[in-house]
Amino acid sequence: MDIFNKVLSIDCENHYALMDKGLVFLEIGRYAEALDLFNKCLINGLDNYSLWFFLKLML
């Protein structure tokens, strides 16, 4: 988790760090935090298959 926080402290809109941190939250059952990060990815313009796949898993 520290590496994601370090990257995000340098570039708070880094899509890949946001999505990967969201995946970690998803894996450990912290769904609200995962959803927040996935939504940030969408707001910041990331639109790829993987992101939509993980969002669909949360439904």
Side-chain angles (χ1 to χ4, degrees):
M1 201 58 83
D2 289 338
I3 190 69
F4 300 126
N5 293 333
K6 186 170 186 169
V7 169
L8 291 169
S9 73
I10 296 167
D11 178 10
C12 65
E13 295 180 358
N14 185 298
H15 299 128
Y16 300 106
L18 287 169
M19 190 166 77
D20 288 346
K21 187 176 179 181
L23 288 175
V24 171
F25 282 139
L26 183 64
E27 287 290 320
I28 62 174
R30 293 169 63 177
Y31 303 114
E33 291 155 306
L35 184 59
D36 286 342
L37 290 171
F38 294 152
N39 283 330
K40 275 187 182 179
C41 289
L42 289 174
I43 290 168
N44 290 330
L46 182 63
D47 184 22
N48 69 22
Y49 174 81
S50 297
L51 178 60
W52 287 107
F53 175 79
F54 296 125
L55 281 168
K56 185 159 174 76
L57 279 178
M58 299 185 72
L59 296 177

